[in-house]
Amino acid sequence: MAKEAPETKRKFSFKRYLLTGLLVWLPVVVTLWVISYIIHLSDDLVALLPFEWQPKVFVGRDIPGFGLIIAVLVLFFTGVFGGNVIGRKIIQAWDGMMGRIPIVKSIYSSTKKVSESLLSDSRQSFKTPLLVNFPHPQVWSVAFVSGSVPEVLLDSLPLLAEDDEYLNVYVPTTPNPTGGYYITVKKSDTRALDMSVDDALKYIISLGMVGPDGHEQQEQQETLPLQQHGSH
């Protein structure tokens, strides 16, 4: 039995070093894959340029990442255009036209409101992380206030105490917070969190392993008492 100890130790070390190497390379590979995917996707924008303006006409070949440069320039100049009086009026006229097209108006207006809510500096939604009982009363989940409840819903909800109110709450999934659940809850049934939106998102994306201070949570090993069942 004593001779098997060194072999067991070597097997354990191999597994440990293998996992360590995986933890080192996995973020690198995923990051490079995401960046290359974005560059490849943006390079498709080059095909929208007139043929005589495309880089392969000047240098004889396609330039990787050239589409990303075009995308950044388009976004920048669009922002400059939309920041002046004439540009805002044109954009408002465009929004009005899109808002009168059946089916298109619901998709366009919803996407516009969500993007303004997520990206605008003056947004009110996704500003307050909190805890809610979801998916059942015995479980707490990190969520975000996503706006006020419209009157049409308040008229159908049960009456509350004077010091209470209803909140629209978004409960993101992990590790992809872009998917989740929209629910309406009582404010008294929530718990406020002393953390920023960025810290809460990092906590969700990391499966709870990165805390609000940016450090990994220390692994806590607890010995759970054995439950004795009547059948034993």
Side-chain angles (χ1 to χ4, degrees), residues 6-192:
E7 183 179 355
T8 304
K9 186 176 180 180
R10 285 196 299 271
K11 289 183 178 179
F12 174 78
S13 299
F14 176 78
K15 179 180 179 182
R16 183 183 62 185
Y17 294 143
L18 184 64
L19 290 177
T20 301
L22 179 63
L23 291 175
V24 170
W25 279 105
L26 186 60
V28 175
V29 172
V30 172
T31 301
L32 293 177
W33 178 81
V34 172
I35 293 175
S36 63
Y37 176 77
I38 294 175
I39 293 177
H40 176 74
L41 188 64
S42 61
D43 282 343
D44 293 338
L45 296 174
V46 178
L48 301 177
L49 295 174
F51 180 77
E52 58 272 12
W53 292 1
Q54 295 183 11
K56 60 184 177 182
V57 175
F58 301 98
V59 298
R61 61 185 298 272
D62 293 328
I63 302 177
F66 187 74
L68 184 60
I69 299 176
I70 295 177
V72 172
L73 292 176
V74 169
L75 292 176
F76 175 76
F77 286 110
T78 302
V80 173
F81 175 76
N84 58 59
V85 177
I86 299 177
R88 284 197 296 268
K89 290 186 178 296
I90 294 177
I91 293 176
Q92 289 175 358
W94 171 263
D95 291 341
M97 182 186 71
M98 297 296 290
R100 289 191 293 268
I101 303 176
I103 300 178
V104 174
K105 64 180 180 180
S106 58
I107 301 174
Y108 181 82
S109 61
S110 299
T111 305
K112 185 176 180 64
K113 290 179 180 178
V114 170
S115 60
E116 288 177 347
S117 176
L118 292 174
L119 302 176
S120 175
D121 292 335
S122 60
R123 67 184 185 271
Q124 297 298 321
S125 58
F126 287 97
K127 194 174 182 179
T128 308
L130 42 74
L131 288 174
V132 296
N133 288 124
F134 185 86
H136 56 78
Q138 283 73 40
V139 173
W140 290 94
S141 299
V142 178
F144 302 93
V145 177
S146 60
S148 58
V149 182
E151 292 293 335
V152 65
L153 291 182
L154 290 176
D155 294 339
S156 301
L157 291 171
L159 295 177
L160 297 176
E162 293 183 359
D163 57 345
D164 203 357
E165 62 178 316
Y166 283 108
L167 298 175
N168 279 345
V169 170
Y170 175 70
V171 184
T173 55
T174 182
N176 179 17
T178 59
Y181 301 89
Y182 159 78
I183 59 176
T184 300
V185 297
K186 294 188 293 184
K187 185 177 181 179
S188 58
D189 290 338
T190 65
R191 300 292 183 269

Side-chain angles (χ1 to χ4, degrees), residues 209-231:
M209 290 183 288
V210 178
D213 56 356
H215 300 291
E216 292 185 3
Q217 298 291 323
Q218 292 183 352
E219 185 177 356
Q220 298 179 353
Q221 295 183 353
E222 299 179 354
T223 303
L224 299 178
L226 295 177
Q227 297 181 354
Q228 295 183 354
H229 301 280
S231 59

